[in-house]
Amino acid sequence: MGKTPTLYLWLLLVGCYLLTAQKTKKCLPGPFHKDAPGPEGDDYVECLSWKRRSCCNADITKELKVNKTEGLYGGYRWDRCGPISAKCEEFIKDEECFYQCEPALVRFQNPEDHDAIIGVPICARYCNAWFDACRNDKTCVTDWLVGYNYTLGPNHCPNDSKCQTFEDVYKNGEGICNKMWGKAFYYDKSNRKCMVMKFPNKRRNPNRNVKPKDKGLIG
Protein backbone atom coordinates (compact mmCIF):
# COMPACT_ATOMS: atom_id res chain seq x y z
CA MET A 1 0.00 0.00 0.00
CA GLY A 2 2.85 2.38 0.75
CA LYS A 3 3.94 2.36 -2.91
CA THR A 4 0.54 3.38 -4.28
CA PRO A 5 0.92 7.17 -3.84
CA THR A 6 4.31 6.97 -5.54
CA LEU A 7 2.76 5.12 -8.47
CA TYR A 8 -0.02 7.70 -8.76
CA LEU A 9 2.54 10.52 -8.69
CA TRP A 10 4.60 8.82 -11.40
CA LEU A 11 1.53 8.36 -13.60
CA LEU A 12 0.57 12.00 -13.07
CA LEU A 13 4.04 13.18 -14.09
CA VAL A 14 3.99 10.97 -17.18
CA GLY A 15 0.55 12.31 -18.09
CA CYS A 16 1.72 15.92 -17.74
CA TYR A 17 4.76 15.20 -19.88
CA LEU A 18 2.66 13.62 -22.63
CA LEU A 19 0.23 16.54 -22.62
CA THR A 20 3.12 19.00 -22.90
CA ALA A 21 4.72 17.01 -25.70
CA GLN A 22 1.42 16.83 -27.57
CA LYS A 23 0.87 20.57 -27.13
CA THR A 24 4.22 21.48 -28.66
CA LYS A 25 3.49 19.42 -31.76
CA LYS A 26 1.27 22.34 -32.74
CA CYS A 27 2.12 25.98 -33.33
CA LEU A 28 0.40 29.05 -32.01
CA PRO A 29 -2.38 29.97 -34.46
CA GLY A 30 -1.91 33.07 -36.55
CA PRO A 31 -1.72 34.33 -40.12
CA PHE A 32 2.02 33.68 -40.41
CA HIS A 33 2.42 30.58 -38.23
CA LYS A 34 2.76 27.04 -39.55
CA ASP A 35 0.38 24.37 -38.28
CA ALA A 36 3.22 22.36 -36.74
CA PRO A 37 6.91 23.03 -36.12
CA GLY A 38 9.51 21.58 -38.44
CA PRO A 39 12.90 22.17 -40.09
CA GLU A 40 13.55 24.84 -42.72
CA GLY A 41 15.95 25.02 -45.67
CA ASP A 42 18.62 27.33 -47.06
CA ASP A 43 16.10 30.06 -47.95
CA TYR A 44 15.41 30.58 -44.24
CA VAL A 45 17.52 33.76 -43.89
CA GLU A 46 16.57 35.29 -40.52
CA CYS A 47 15.48 33.89 -37.15
CA LEU A 48 18.25 31.32 -37.49
CA SER A 49 17.91 30.10 -33.91
CA TRP A 50 14.83 28.17 -35.05
CA LYS A 51 16.00 26.88 -38.42
CA ARG A 52 16.10 23.26 -37.24
CA ARG A 53 12.59 23.39 -35.73
CA SER A 54 10.44 26.41 -36.45
CA CYS A 55 6.83 27.56 -36.37
CA CYS A 56 7.55 30.15 -39.08
CA ASN A 57 8.48 29.54 -42.69
CA ALA A 58 11.18 30.98 -44.92
CA ASP A 59 8.88 33.63 -46.42
CA ILE A 60 8.53 35.34 -43.04
CA THR A 61 12.29 35.43 -42.55
CA LYS A 62 12.86 36.93 -45.99
CA GLU A 63 10.24 39.61 -45.30
CA LEU A 64 11.84 40.46 -41.95
CA LYS A 65 15.28 40.71 -43.52
CA VAL A 66 14.16 43.11 -46.25
CA ASN A 67 11.21 45.07 -44.82
CA LYS A 68 11.26 44.32 -41.06
CA THR A 69 7.60 44.18 -39.95
CA GLU A 70 6.23 46.70 -42.44
CA GLY A 71 5.04 44.04 -44.87
CA LEU A 72 3.64 41.81 -42.12
CA TYR A 73 1.49 44.34 -40.30
CA GLY A 74 0.35 46.87 -42.87
CA GLY A 75 3.21 49.32 -42.53
CA TYR A 76 4.00 48.94 -38.81
CA ARG A 77 7.33 50.70 -38.19
CA TRP A 78 9.79 50.55 -35.32
CA ASP A 79 11.37 53.95 -36.02
CA ARG A 80 8.59 56.44 -35.29
CA CYS A 81 11.04 58.54 -33.26
CA GLY A 82 13.87 58.42 -35.75
CA PRO A 83 16.36 55.74 -36.75
CA ILE A 84 16.83 52.84 -34.36
CA SER A 85 20.42 51.83 -33.61
CA ALA A 86 21.58 48.56 -35.18
CA LYS A 87 22.07 46.82 -31.83
CA CYS A 88 18.59 47.83 -30.61
CA GLU A 89 16.97 46.89 -33.90
CA GLU A 90 18.51 43.44 -33.61
CA PHE A 91 16.71 42.83 -30.30
CA ILE A 92 13.39 44.09 -31.69
CA LYS A 93 13.76 41.81 -34.71
CA ASP A 94 14.64 38.92 -32.41
CA GLU A 95 11.40 39.51 -30.49
CA GLU A 96 9.43 39.20 -33.74
CA CYS A 97 11.33 36.03 -34.64
CA PHE A 98 10.61 34.64 -31.19
CA TYR A 99 6.87 35.29 -31.52
CA GLN A 100 6.65 33.89 -35.03
CA CYS A 101 8.99 30.91 -34.73
CA GLU A 102 9.21 29.57 -31.16
CA PRO A 103 7.25 26.28 -30.83
CA ALA A 104 6.97 26.45 -27.02
CA LEU A 105 4.88 29.64 -27.13
CA VAL A 106 1.76 27.61 -27.86
CA ARG A 107 1.76 26.81 -24.12
CA PHE A 108 1.32 30.53 -23.40
CA GLN A 109 -1.66 31.16 -25.67
CA ASN A 110 -3.84 34.03 -24.52
CA PRO A 111 -7.33 32.60 -23.88
CA GLU A 112 -8.90 35.90 -24.93
CA ASP A 113 -6.93 36.19 -28.19
CA HIS A 114 -5.71 32.89 -29.59
CA ASP A 115 -3.13 34.51 -31.88
CA ALA A 116 -1.52 36.22 -28.89
CA ILE A 117 0.61 35.12 -25.96
CA ILE A 118 0.51 36.04 -22.28
CA GLY A 119 2.80 35.65 -19.29
CA VAL A 120 5.91 34.32 -21.02
CA PRO A 121 8.83 34.40 -18.54
CA ILE A 122 11.86 36.04 -20.13
CA CYS A 123 15.19 35.57 -18.38
CA ALA A 124 16.31 38.70 -16.53
CA ARG A 125 19.77 38.55 -18.10
CA TYR A 126 18.17 38.70 -21.57
CA CYS A 127 15.88 41.60 -20.61
CA ASN A 128 18.84 43.50 -19.17
CA ALA A 129 20.88 43.00 -22.34
CA TRP A 130 17.90 44.20 -24.42
CA PHE A 131 17.59 47.34 -22.32
CA ASP A 132 21.31 48.05 -22.51
CA ALA A 133 21.17 47.79 -26.31
CA CYS A 134 18.22 50.19 -26.58
CA ARG A 135 18.64 52.58 -23.65
CA ASN A 136 19.58 55.57 -25.86
CA ASP A 137 17.05 54.88 -28.63
CA LYS A 138 13.70 56.65 -28.56
CA THR A 139 10.02 55.76 -28.43
CA CYS A 140 6.83 57.79 -28.11
CA VAL A 141 4.76 55.03 -26.43
CA THR A 142 5.33 52.57 -23.60
CA ASP A 143 3.23 49.70 -24.98
CA TRP A 144 4.07 48.96 -28.62
CA LEU A 145 0.91 46.87 -29.03
CA VAL A 146 -1.82 49.31 -28.01
CA GLY A 147 -0.08 52.62 -27.32
CA TYR A 148 0.11 53.87 -30.90
CA ASN A 149 -2.53 55.78 -32.84
CA TYR A 150 -3.89 53.48 -35.56
CA THR A 151 -6.65 55.76 -36.86
CA LEU A 152 -4.42 56.92 -39.72
CA GLY A 153 -3.55 53.38 -40.79
CA PRO A 154 -0.16 52.09 -39.62
CA ASN A 155 1.15 52.88 -36.14
CA HIS A 156 1.74 56.58 -35.46
CA CYS A 157 2.73 58.46 -32.33
CA PRO A 158 -0.32 59.80 -30.47
CA ASN A 159 -0.81 63.57 -30.78
CA ASP A 160 -0.12 64.17 -27.09
CA SER A 161 3.00 61.99 -26.97
CA LYS A 162 6.67 62.91 -27.09
CA CYS A 163 9.74 60.95 -28.04
CA GLN A 164 11.80 59.86 -25.05
CA THR A 165 14.70 57.49 -24.59
CA PHE A 166 14.05 53.87 -23.66
CA GLU A 167 15.90 54.63 -20.44
CA ASP A 168 13.41 57.37 -19.56
CA VAL A 169 10.40 55.24 -20.51
CA TYR A 170 11.35 51.76 -19.24
CA LYS A 171 14.04 52.56 -16.62
CA ASN A 172 15.63 49.09 -16.78
CA GLY A 173 15.42 45.56 -18.19
CA GLU A 174 12.44 44.73 -16.00
CA GLY A 175 10.51 47.64 -17.46
CA ILE A 176 11.26 46.76 -21.07
CA CYS A 177 10.13 43.14 -20.71
CA ASN A 178 7.10 43.89 -18.55
CA LYS A 179 5.76 46.86 -20.51
CA MET A 180 6.91 47.04 -24.15
CA TRP A 181 4.59 44.30 -25.45
CA GLY A 182 1.67 44.50 -23.05
CA LYS A 183 1.23 41.35 -20.94
CA ALA A 184 2.97 39.08 -23.42
CA PHE A 185 6.17 38.81 -21.36
CA TYR A 186 7.43 39.29 -17.84
CA TYR A 187 10.86 39.68 -16.30
CA ASP A 188 11.94 36.44 -14.60
CA LYS A 189 14.48 37.17 -11.90
CA SER A 190 15.28 33.49 -11.34
CA ASN A 191 17.14 33.22 -14.68
CA ARG A 192 16.30 29.51 -14.63
CA LYS A 193 12.91 28.33 -15.92
CA CYS A 194 12.61 31.18 -18.38
CA MET A 195 13.01 31.88 -22.09
CA VAL A 196 15.38 33.82 -24.31
CA MET A 197 14.59 35.32 -27.72
CA LYS A 198 17.77 34.19 -29.43
CA PHE A 199 20.27 31.35 -29.07
CA PRO A 200 23.01 29.75 -31.21
CA ASN A 201 21.36 27.84 -34.05
CA LYS A 202 23.47 24.72 -33.48
CA ARG A 203 22.44 24.57 -29.85
CA ARG A 204 19.38 22.74 -28.58
CA ASN A 205 16.50 25.13 -27.97
CA PRO A 206 16.77 26.27 -24.32
CA ASN A 207 13.08 27.25 -24.28
CA ARG A 208 11.77 23.78 -25.02
CA ASN A 209 10.86 22.78 -21.44
CA VAL A 210 9.64 26.14 -20.11
CA LYS A 211 6.01 26.00 -18.99
CA PRO A 212 3.52 28.57 -17.65
CA LYS A 213 4.02 29.43 -14.00
CA ASP A 214 1.66 30.58 -11.27
CA LYS A 215 -0.91 32.86 -12.92
CA GLY A 216 -0.45 35.22 -10.00
CA LEU A 217 2.91 36.16 -11.46
CA ILE A 218 1.29 37.53 -14.60
CA GLY A 219 0.63 41.23 -14.14
Side-chain angles (χ1 to χ4, degrees), residues 92-153:
I92 299 172
K93 186 186 294 183
D94 289 342
E95 186 279 329
E96 185 65 26
C97 286
F98 178 68
Y99 168 68
Q100 297 289 354
C101 310
E102 173 56 62
L105 289 184
V106 71
R107 301 175 194 148
F108 296 85
Q109 187 177 38
N110 189 330
E112 297 179 1
D113 181 357
H114 291 175
D115 291 1
I117 51 178
I118 187 169
V120 180
I122 305 299
C123 298
R125 62 181 181 275
Y126 185 91
C127 297
N128 294 340
W130 186 356
F131 176 75
D132 286 342
C134 295
R135 65 164 67 234
N136 295 319
D137 291 276
K138 292 187 176 182
T139 179
C140 59
V141 297
T142 301
D143 187 333
W144 282 34
L145 285 175
V146 300
Y148 285 110
N149 180 353
Y150 294 95
T151 59
L152 301 175

Side-chain angles (χ1 to χ4, degrees), residues 4 6 36 38 42 48 55 66 89 104 109 126 129 133-134 150 155 176 183 191 209:
T4 302
T6 302
D42 292 339
L48 296 178
C55 277
V66 176
E89 184 176 280
Q109 187 177 38
Y126 185 91
C134 295
Y150 294 95
N155 63 312
I176 205 169
K183 295 184 178 181
N191 275 317
N209 294 323

Side-chain angles (χ1 to χ4, degrees), residues 169-215:
V169 173
Y170 299 113
K171 310 302 182 188
N172 51 38
E174 185 170 5
I176 205 169
C177 277
N178 286 354
K179 297 177 180 179
M180 188 171 177
W181 297 102
K183 295 184 178 181
F185 312 121
Y186 76 89
Y187 183 88
D188 189 286
K189 297 178 182 178
S190 75
N191 275 317
R192 293 195 301 273
K193 294 182 179 180
C194 51
M195 293 192 178
V196 294
M197 298 183 185
K198 190 175 192 175
F199 51 91
N201 63 356
K202 293 184 179 179
R203 177 183 165 190
R204 196 175 184 190
N205 188 335
N207 302 326
R208 65 191 183 279
N209 294 323
V210 178
K211 303 178 183 70
K213 300 182 181 182
D214 182 353
K215 297 300 183 184

